[in-house]
Each structure stands twice: as structure tokens, then as C-alpha cells.
Amino acid sequence: MVWFACAALVVLAGFFVLMPLFREPKNKLGTAFAAETELDRLLNRKAVVYANLKDLELEYKMGRLSDADFQQLGTGYKNEASAILYRIDQIRASEGRDKTSAKASASRKSRRTESGSGQGRDLSRCPSCGAEVIPGKKFCADCGHRF
Ligand SMILES: [Zn+2]
């Protein structure tokens, strides 16, 4: 009976230890999906709104909707569609800006490192120990490195 209790405990403990492992990838996937882009969500929403608009026109043509309903619903969908399109444009514009600003900062950075390495080759500093060197001297006063 004791061994059974122990086995049950081990199984239980194993279960609780392993649970997060099974759960974690799902959560990661979920957050990745959520973070995947507002753009995807908007594009889906746009498709839905356009589908609704088509249905609306169909129903109107089939006489299931009054003029007033058709106008009201149609205007609602069109407003939503234009809001979605506007937001999509905003996101795409900001993404483009991010890319160009990232590129610009990258080139700024590389320019900075270029000038930095130029300073590294500065002959007023010993290439061996980095101590300041009096111009014209042939050996480093600190480490004796020959220039
Ligand atoms: Zn030196």
C-alpha cells in the first residue's frame, strides 16, 4: 500500500512538473500569435466587413431590406471599412518608418564605429598597452613596444 502511495505521489509530482512544459509552448504560440500583428487582424476584419457589405447588397436586391435599413447598415459598414483601411495605412506607414529609421541608425552606428576604429589606430597611443605615447618616440614608455 505504501509503494502505491509513493507511486501516486511520484506520478502526481511528475504531472505538476511536466504540466508547465506542455502548457508553455501553447502560451508562447498564443502570445506570438497575438503579437503577430494588428495588421493581420485588421485585414481579416476588412474581409469580413466587405463580405457583410456584399451580403447586404444581395439582401437589398432580393428585397429583404428596406431602403432605410440598407442605407444605415451600408453606411455603418463603409465607415468601418474606411476606419480599418485608415488604420492599415497607419500601421504600414509606421512600419516603413521603423525600417528606414532602423536603417538610418544602423548606418549612423557603422559610421561611428568606423571613426572609432580610426581612433584606435591613433599613433599617439601605444597599440600594445594603450598608454599615451609622446610623438617621435620609437618605443612605448610603459611596455617597451616598438612602433
Ligand atoms: Zn605600450
Side-chain angles (χ1 to χ4, degrees):
M1 198 58 207
V2 174
W3 70 265
F4 180 77
C6 284
L9 253 170
V10 166
V11 168
L12 212 66
F15 181 69
F16 279 113
V17 168
L18 291 174
M19 268 255 286
L21 296 179
F22 288 118
R23 231 182 324 172
E24 205 174 5
K26 225 189 239 171
N27 281 349
K28 266 180 194 162
L29 219 79
T31 51
F33 182 74
E36 194 183 21
T37 55
E38 194 185 351
L39 194 64
D40 286 347
R41 217 155 40 77
L42 286 166
L43 289 171
N44 283 338
R45 186 72 197 136
K46 189 182 94 175
V48 168
V49 170
Y50 277 117
N52 284 346
L53 206 57
K54 249 182 201 168
D55 280 353
L56 192 72
E57 277 169 11
L58 205 70
E59 291 202 16
Y60 176 64
K61 275 176 195 160
M62 293 194 311
R64 287 192 203 160
L65 280 172
S66 68
D67 281 4
D69 281 346
F70 177 68
Q71 287 298 327
Q72 198 197 338
L73 289 167
T75 310
Y77 285 140
K78 276 168 192 163
N79 284 344
E80 191 174 358
S82 71
I84 290 167
L85 288 176
Y86 178 70
R87 185 78 191 112
I88 288 171
D89 275 355
Q90 271 188 328
I91 289 172
R92 284 197 170 139
S94 80
E95 273 179 358
R97 241 196 336 270
D98 284 354
K99 262 172 211 156
T100 47
S101 73
K103 217 182 266 174
S105 79
S107 70
R108 263 203 304 278
K109 206 184 255 175
S110 75
R111 231 173 290 143
R112 217 179 300 137
T113 47
E114 270 164 34
S115 71
S117 65
Q119 272 171 3
R121 273 182 267 118
D122 195 342
L123 288 172
S124 67
R125 282 195 177 271
C126 170
S128 177
C129 70
E132 270 189 71
V133 174
I134 298 142
K137 292 264 184 184
K138 281 185 179 167
F139 296 91
C140 172
D142 271 18
C143 70
H145 178 85
R146 185 177 175 158
F147 301 124

